[in-house]
Amino acid sequence: MAVSKNEKVDIIKKFGANEKDTGSVRVQVALLTERIKLLTNHLKQNDKDHTARRSLLVLVGQRKSLLSYLEKQDRDAYLALIQELGLRK
């Protein structure tokens, strides 16, 4: 259920300013989105895994707070990010 190291590096390169930019909001949201997708697929197969369901809710809450922060700070970057990640269609 974890994001592999290679996938993480690819996400950081795509959304970060450089290879070591792991703390920016864009990178954090992209990594959380990937983890949410993996957990969602896991829960489709294992519907009684309540621990994973709670973890999913925690991750969604973290992503929501980061997105609201980004929206307040830089609306254009927020709109570009949700468009690129395919969120809020």
Side-chain angles (χ1 to χ4, degrees), residues 42-56:
H42 170 77
L43 284 171
K44 286 179 182 176
Q45 297 170 358
N46 305 289
D47 59 338
K48 293 187 179 185
D49 189 353
H50 299 294
T51 306
R53 188 172 311 280
R54 184 185 185 286
S55 298
L56 177 65

Side-chain angles (χ1 to χ4, degrees), residues 17-81:
N18 55 39
E19 295 88 29
K20 296 185 179 186
D21 181 21
T22 59
S24 69
V25 177
R26 290 177 45 89
V27 172
Q28 290 183 46
V29 170
L31 288 172
L32 284 172
T33 301
E34 187 63 31
R35 287 178 62 195
I36 288 169
K37 287 179 186 176
L38 290 174
L39 265 177
T40 302
N41 290 335
H42 170 77
L43 284 171
K44 286 179 182 176
Q45 297 170 358
N46 305 289
D47 59 338
K48 293 187 179 185
D49 189 353
H50 299 294
T51 306
R53 188 172 311 280
R54 184 185 185 286
S55 298
L56 177 65
L57 292 174
V58 169
L59 292 176
V60 170
Q62 288 176 350
R63 182 177 71 180
K64 180 181 177 186
S65 65
L66 285 170
L67 283 172
S68 66
Y69 169 78
L70 184 61
E71 184 179 19
K72 291 175 191 172
Q73 297 299 317
D74 188 0
R75 176 94 173 144
D76 295 331
Y78 165 77
L79 293 173
L81 183 63

